[in-house]
Amino acid sequence: MGVKLPAFQVLIDAYREPIYRFLVAIVGRNDADDCFQETFLAALSAYPRLKSNSNLKAWLFKIAQNKAIDRHRSRSRHESRPLVEAAFSEDGRGDVWIEVEKLPSKQRAAIQHRYAGGLKYKEMALVMGCTDAAARRNVHEGLKKLREGLVK
Amino acid sequence: MIQVSKSLARSARADFKEPAERAARAFEKVASRRGLIDVAYAVIDSPVGELLVATTEKGLVRLAYGTDLESLISDLAHDISPRVLEAPPKTDPVRRSLDEYFDGKRKQFELPIDWRLSKGFYRKVLQATARIPFGAVSTYRDMASKAGNARATRAAGNAVGSNPIAIVVPCHRVLRTGGGLGGYGGGLDKKVFLLELEGVAV
C-alpha cells in the first residue's frame, strides 16, 4: 500500500457539515440530502484508488461541486426561475445566494466555496484549478458585483 | 442596501450540524447496502471498559480495548482498507454475543472470525487459543505445542500478546508455563476480571 489514507469515517466526521452547507447554497435545502449521498458514495467508491492523500478536503469538495452541477443541469431543464431558494433563513437574507447564482461562473463558484464551503484560498485553488491569487480575485470581484447589483 | 458581506458571513456560520449528521447516518446505511464498507466498526461499552469492535464481510477482525481509538481506527485503514466506516448495525451480532457473555448467558462464541491480521505461526497459536474452552486455562508452551512447535514458547507468548481479537479469541485463558498470570495487553486487572467471570480461581 503506497499512500497512507485516513479511515473514510474521518473524512465524513470532518467535512459532513461544510459539504452539506456548501450543497445547500448551490442546490437548496430540498436537494442537499440527495447530493450529499451522491457525493459521499462517489468519494467512497473512488477512495481506495487515490494516488495522493495531499488534499482530501479539496478532492471531496470537487466531487460535491460536480454532483451539484449535475443536479443543476437536470433541474434547469424543467425550471426557468432562480434555482436556489432562500437557503439559509426565512427572513430573506438567504436571498443573497440567489444573487450569487447570477454571477459569472468563476466568481459564483469562488463565493460558494468561500462562504458556504468555508474553504481557504489554497483549497479553493485546488478545487477550481487556478492559483491562490486568482481565487482571491474571483471572490473580491464577485463581492464587488454583488454590492453594486443588490438593491433592497 | 443588503449588507452582502454580512449576509455571506452569516451563511458561513449557519448551523447545519444536525441535518449533516442525519445525512451522514443515512449515507452509512446506503453505503452498507451497496457493499462499499470494507471495515465496519463500533465502540461499545462493557464491564471491562470501552471496546472497539471491527468486522469485515468475512467476520470479526478486531476487538480491542479502547484506550486509543484514533490510532486503532487509523491502523484498520492502513492494515486492511481505508474504507473504514462507523457502522454499528454491522457489528451488532458481536455486541449481542459479548453482552450475553458478560451476563453469564453465553459460554461459547459462534462468531465468524476474519484471521487476516495474524499470519503464519502466530495465526496457528491464536487459532489454538480460540479452542480453549470457557472456564479452562492453558499455557504458552501448550499453545506453542498445539501450533506445531513445542519449543517456540517465547514466540507463542508473542503471538498470544499480539492477539487482535481480545475476549472472543480468549488469550486471557493463557497463563505462564511455570505458574503465574503472564501478561495481558489490556492490563492484568482485565485478565483477572475475565478469568474470575469464567469461574477460574486466580
Side-chain angles (χ1 to χ4, degrees), chain B residues 90-141:
Chain B
K90 279 203 181 277
T91 60
D92 270 349
V94 178
R95 176 205 299 264
R96 272 197 304 273
S97 296
L98 284 169
D99 282 347
E100 288 160 8
Y101 167 79
F102 285 116
D103 280 344
K105 297 197 192 95
R106 175 178 288 280
K107 293 192 161 55
Q108 182 141 322
F109 289 103
E110 280 145 22
L111 300 163
I113 305 286
D114 183 337
W115 290 102
R116 77 177 78 189
L117 291 179
S118 308
K119 298 192 173 32
F121 182 69
Y122 277 29
R123 187 186 293 193
K124 289 208 179 88
V125 169
L126 289 169
Q127 286 174 333
T129 303
R131 293 192 288 271
I132 305 171
F134 182 100
V137 293
S138 180
T139 62
Y140 298 110
R141 182 189 293 169

Side-chain angles (χ1 to χ4, degrees), chain B residues 26-141:
Chain B
F27 165 72
E28 171 254 297
K29 290 197 174 63
V30 177
S32 181
R33 269 204 307 274
R34 301 236 185 134
L36 290 173
I37 303 179
D38 291 339
V39 186
Y41 74 86
V43 180
I44 70 178
D45 244 326
S46 83
V48 283
E50 273 192 342
L51 300 170
L52 176 86
V53 175
T55 61
T56 63
E57 55 165 24
K58 291 208 178 91
L60 176 61
V61 74
R62 189 86 172 91
L63 203 168
Y65 294 97
T67 38
D68 185 354
L69 290 172
E70 230 177 87
S71 291
L72 288 170
I73 292 165
S74 171
D75 288 345
L76 289 172
H78 188 249
D79 296 336
I80 305 176
S81 160
R83 285 203 201 146
V84 178
L85 266 75
E86 187 170 9
K90 279 203 181 277
T91 60
D92 270 349
V94 178
R95 176 205 299 264
R96 272 197 304 273
S97 296
L98 284 169
D99 282 347
E100 288 160 8
Y101 167 79
F102 285 116
D103 280 344
K105 297 197 192 95
R106 175 178 288 280
K107 293 192 161 55
Q108 182 141 322
F109 289 103
E110 280 145 22
L111 300 163
I113 305 286
D114 183 337
W115 290 102
R116 77 177 78 189
L117 291 179
S118 308
K119 298 192 173 32
F121 182 69
Y122 277 29
R123 187 186 293 193
K124 289 208 179 88
V125 169
L126 289 169
Q127 286 174 333
T129 303
R131 293 192 288 271
I132 305 171
F134 182 100
V137 293
S138 180
T139 62
Y140 298 110
R141 182 189 293 169

Side-chain angles (χ1 to χ4, degrees), chain B residues 150-162:
Chain B
R151 282 175 309 171
T153 307
R154 181 171 298 165
N158 290 335
V160 174
S162 78

Side-chain angles (χ1 to χ4, degrees), chain A residues 5-6 17-18 21 23 51 53-54 60 75 78 81 85 94-95 100-101 104 108 123 125 128 131 135 137 148 151:
Chain A
L5 294 170
E17 202 190 341
R21 184 183 299 118
L23 290 171
K51 301 259 190 303
N53 65 355
S54 55
L60 196 55
R75 280 166 68 191
H78 308 294
R81 43 178 218 83
E85 310 91 55
D95 289 342
V100 170
E101 186 80 4
R108 176 180 65 223
E123 291 160 345
M128 292 171 65
T131 61
R137 248 189 344 262
E148 289 163 0
V151 266

